[in-house]
Amino acid sequence: MTEPPASGAGDDGATYEELIRQTRLIYRRLSRSGVMTKRQLTEAWDTVEAAIYVALDTTDDPSGRTVGRAALNAAREVQAKWLPDQPPGAGHTPSP
């Protein structure tokens, strides 16, 4: 399995759908990890949702990639805080 870059650097060509799929994988990983209560997960994920709303308000990008990238970057920050031993893209297999 190939790991993606640690930052959003390799996400330039990714579609909105791929970026959101990666974001959902991080959410799933966090929820299954057992390191957070449901309330902590909800509160932490509020920052991801906030990043989405800010991106929606500040971009005219019709592809949605700006919003998807903002969501993924925020999710990676949450993951780094709660699962520091995992690389930011752990569990992600890039599409061929």
Side-chain angles (χ1 to χ4, degrees):
M1 175 166 52
T2 304
E3 299 298 336
S7 69
D11 299 329
D12 291 339
T15 64
Y16 167 80
E17 291 80 11
E18 176 63 17
L19 294 165
I20 294 302
R21 187 184 75 74
Q22 291 178 47
T23 302
R24 284 192 207 119
L25 286 173
I26 292 172
Y27 180 86
R28 191 175 311 129
R29 194 173 307 118
L30 287 165
S31 67
R32 293 179 180 172
S33 70
V35 299
M36 315 169 80
T37 65
K38 187 166 180 73
R39 181 178 179 169
Q40 288 171 319
L41 178 60
T42 299
E43 289 174 357
W45 210 251
D46 284 346
T47 62
V48 176
E49 291 178 4
I52 291 170
Y53 288 120
V54 168
L56 284 169
D57 287 343
T58 59
T59 186
D60 292 328
D61 176 14
S63 71
R65 284 187 295 231
T66 302
V67 174
R69 195 170 298 111
L72 181 56
N73 288 342
R76 285 176 172 164
E77 289 179 20
V78 172
Q79 177 177 281
K81 176 181 177 184
W82 289 94
L83 299 174
D85 295 336
Q86 287 192 341
H92 167 67
T93 304
S95 302

